[in-house]
């Protein structure tokens, strides 16, 4: 069964993570995604290693594991858009695509005749998605933006880490990833609008905007109090108990998201008096008296092993879990049952392990067709099949370093 976007063709001019993440989402949903890269170097993230993808003989391919995380399902075409003929090729591709994703600095593509206004004249239905650090408006629009600096500037690092500790970024580039996710949603919405009107539009996605939006209730907590939230480690600012506790041989996460679950926990743990105690009877009171409740529950948790707690809480229907490293994640029976780890045939590496999309469809299930491509792997195929270029013309373009 074709994917829900199998009728859509995407021109992906982006690199590194935010834009490519959106392109990979669209590819997972069935779209044909053509990734345009610089001849010779390609996407910057191909060089973000080690670790490197190994070929069948165990040698480094020169492509990073990082690159493979965001480029599944795409065809790689190398085009030098600094050359006039390269610009012409990019315009030809844009003419026959439904979506264009780019993350060049503000105004850069306009210099090459590849800005939205220029391409809209060629293809009025084009959905043109720009992903930048700061957006297309505002005093910082010309500044480059990278995830680390955006996590700091956008408040993420102020609420991440232990109390009294220094600022800490998240362990993955969350600003890039969430911007890619918002871009995916925006593109799908713009395509739905085009179905009704026939008109494309320009989408303006900024890492800073997305990072701020991701702060969610931390923003509204600030609006409600006028006090910026501080780092509180693994505690939750609005829910108690919702944190790890140390058992006799390791840590267990307890997540009592409401009063009913808290009562179930206390009964299962043999401390029902803590559910009846007026200091802890409601979530609001538990937040007010967090320190005392945490002290009391810490004593309770020390009396059992981690495994005993996990089994006890699971039987009682109380949300809980271990703190896994990445290797342990892929050994979880639930992760195996859901098929989260997949393998695709890679041109150099053979069977390449990757992570499945978390989007599941009953009627149009995702089919994983293409592994992350080698640089320029599909150049001739796309130019010949989509643009009708002859073998001689492709050879000439290659010889003149346009492709």
């Amino acid at each position: 069964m074709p994917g829900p976007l199998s009728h859509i063709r995407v021109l992906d001019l982006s690199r590194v993570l935010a834009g490519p993440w959106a392109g990979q989402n669209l590819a997972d949903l069935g779209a044909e995604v053509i990734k345009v890269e610089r001849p010779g170097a390609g996407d910057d993230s191909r060089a973000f290693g080690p670790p490197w993808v190994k070929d069948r003989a165990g040698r480094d391919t020169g492509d990073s594991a990082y690159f493979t995380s965001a480029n599944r399902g795409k065809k790689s075409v190398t085009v030098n858009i600094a050359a006039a003929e390269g610009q012409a090729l990019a315009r030809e591709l844009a003419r026959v695509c439904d979506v264009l994703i780019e993350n060049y600095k503000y105004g850069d593509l306009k210099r090459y005749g590849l800005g939205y206004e220029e391409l809209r004249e060629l293809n009025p239905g084009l959905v043109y998605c720009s992903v930048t650090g700061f957006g297309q408006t505002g005093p910082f629009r010309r500044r480059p933006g990278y995830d680390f600096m955006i996590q700091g500037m956008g408040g993420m690092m102020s609420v991440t880490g232990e109390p009294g500790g220094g600022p800490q970024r998240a362990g993955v580039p969350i600003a890039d990833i969430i911007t890619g996710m918002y871009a995916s949603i925006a593109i799908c919405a713009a395509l739905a609008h085009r179905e009704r009107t026939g008109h494309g539009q320009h989408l303006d996605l900024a890492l800073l905007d997305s990072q701020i939006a991701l702060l969610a209730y931390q923003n509204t907590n600030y609006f409600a109090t006028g006090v910026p939230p501080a780092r509180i480690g693994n505690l939750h600012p609005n829910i108690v108990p919702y944190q790890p506790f140390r058992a006799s041989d390791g840590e267990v996460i307890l997540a009592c998201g409401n009063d009913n679950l808290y009562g179930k926990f206390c009964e299962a743990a043999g401390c029902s008096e803590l559910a009846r105690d007026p200091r802890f009877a409601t979530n609001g009171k538990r937040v007010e008296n967090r320190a005392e409740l945490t002290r009391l529950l810490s004593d309770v948790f020390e009396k059992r092993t981690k495994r005993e707690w996990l089994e006890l809480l699971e039987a009682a229907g109380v949300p809980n879990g271990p703190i896994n490293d990445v290797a342990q994640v892929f050994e979880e029976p639930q992760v195996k049952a859901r098929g989260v780890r997949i393998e695709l045939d890679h041109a150099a590496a053979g069977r390449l392990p990757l992570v499945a999309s978390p989007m599941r469809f009953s009627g149009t299930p995702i089919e994983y067709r293409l592994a992350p491509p080698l640089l320029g792997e599909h150049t001739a195929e796309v130019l010949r099949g989509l643009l009708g270029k002859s073998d001689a013309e492709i050879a000439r373009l290659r010889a003149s370093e346009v492709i």
Side-chain angles (χ1 to χ4, degrees):
M1 177 70 69
L5 294 183
S6 60
H7 60 301
I8 297 299
R9 182 180 294 125
V10 179
L11 187 61
D12 185 354
L13 299 178
S14 66
R15 64 267 191 217
V16 186
L17 193 55
W21 197 264
Q24 179 170 268
N25 282 336
L26 302 180
D28 284 345
L29 294 171
E32 178 185 8
V33 179
I34 299 167
K35 183 179 179 70
V36 173
E37 303 186 70
R38 293 172 296 165
D43 186 321
D44 298 2
S45 70
R46 287 185 183 271
F48 287 2
W52 310 104
V53 173
K54 304 286 187 181
D55 67 14
R56 292 175 178 84
R59 298 166 300 199
D60 291 342
T61 62
D63 275 349
S64 69
Y66 186 115
F67 174 82
T68 67
S69 73
N71 289 286
R72 172 181 63 237
K74 303 177 186 181
K75 298 176 180 178
S76 174
V77 174
T78 51
V79 178
N80 178 11
I81 66 168
E85 280 193 289
Q87 295 160 19
L89 282 177
R91 282 191 287 272
E92 286 187 65
L93 288 168
R95 189 194 294 270
V96 295
C97 286
D98 302 283
V99 176
L100 184 149
I101 304 172
E102 63 92 7
N103 67 341
Y104 284 75
K105 287 190 294 185
Y106 171 82
D108 269 11
L109 285 183
K110 187 175 182 63
R111 296 188 295 116
Y112 301 128
L114 298 172
Y116 173 63
E117 297 300 330
E118 292 80 14
L119 295 185
R120 182 173 63 171
E121 296 297 317
L122 298 175
N123 183 354
L126 184 66
V127 173
Y128 188 110
C129 180
S130 294
V131 178
T132 58
F134 298 96
Q136 302 295 303
T137 59
F140 295 167
R141 65 186 181 276
R142 298 184 185 278
R143 291 177 58 178
Y146 284 85
D147 177 272
F148 194 173
M149 57 182 281
I150 296 297
Q151 285 198 37
M153 194 172 186
M156 185 72 174
M157 293 173 66
S158 75
V159 296
T160 304
E162 293 298 323
Q168 183 65 54
R169 75 174 184 89
V172 293
I174 195 70
D176 278 337
I177 292 170
I178 196 62
T179 306
M181 296 305 299
Y182 275 121
S184 305
I185 297 168
I187 289 166
C188 288
L191 288 171
H193 175 264
R194 192 186 70 170
E195 288 293 317
R196 297 200 322 272
T197 67
H199 299 302
Q201 57 184 300
H202 189 191
L203 307 178
D204 176 10
L205 277 292
L207 270 66
L208 182 61
D209 298 352
S210 300
Q211 176 62 88
I212 295 169
L214 186 61
L215 293 182
Y217 55 79
Q218 295 284 29
N219 290 321
T220 51
N221 285 349
Y222 164 67
F223 294 154
T225 65
V227 178
R231 287 181 288 277
I232 55 173
N234 290 319
L235 305 180
H236 194 292
N238 303 91
I239 305 173
V240 175
Y242 198 92
Q243 65 198 79
F245 285 95
R246 179 162 292 281
S248 63
D249 62 346
E251 291 194 311
V252 176
I253 292 174
L254 174 65
C256 295
N258 57 47
D259 293 340
N260 179 54
L261 288 172
Y262 174 67
K264 283 186 175 182
F265 161 73
C266 289
E267 181 178 353
C271 55
S272 297
E273 71 280 2
L274 295 181
R276 297 187 298 269
D277 191 315
R279 296 174 298 171
F280 314 129
T282 66
N283 182 69
K285 288 296 183 181
R286 292 194 295 276
V287 172
E288 290 177 10
N289 297 288
R290 179 198 304 271
E292 179 60 13
L293 180 59
T294 297
R295 184 186 68 79
L296 294 169
L297 293 184
S298 294
D299 291 341
V300 171
F301 267 87
E302 287 179 354
K303 297 175 183 177
R304 290 184 171 93
T305 66
K306 180 171 70 172
R307 177 52 52 192
E308 287 172 334
W309 275 116
L310 294 174
E311 292 174 354
L312 179 71
L313 296 175
E314 184 65 25
V318 177
N320 70 93
I323 300 175
N324 288 333
D325 63 26
V326 176
Q328 291 168 326
V329 167
F330 289 99
E331 292 303 314
E332 285 282 1
Q334 180 67 14
V335 174
K336 291 182 176 180
R338 294 283 285 177
V340 174
R341 175 176 167 148
I342 60 174
E343 291 186 349
L344 293 176
D345 288 319
H346 185 269
R351 298 295 287 175
L352 182 70
L354 297 164
V355 175
S357 169
M359 295 181 282
R360 309 291 174 111
F361 294 80
S362 64
T364 54
I366 288 173
E367 296 179 356
Y368 303 102
R369 298 162 294 162
L370 297 173
L374 298 176
L375 180 61
E377 181 178 344
H378 305 93
T379 301
E381 172 191 328
V382 169
L383 296 187
R384 186 185 302 115
L386 192 57
L387 300 185
K389 305 297 182 186
S390 67
D391 289 345
E393 192 170 4
I394 291 171
R396 183 188 65 79
L397 291 169
R398 201 179 299 280
S400 58
E401 300 183 343
V402 173
I403 61 173

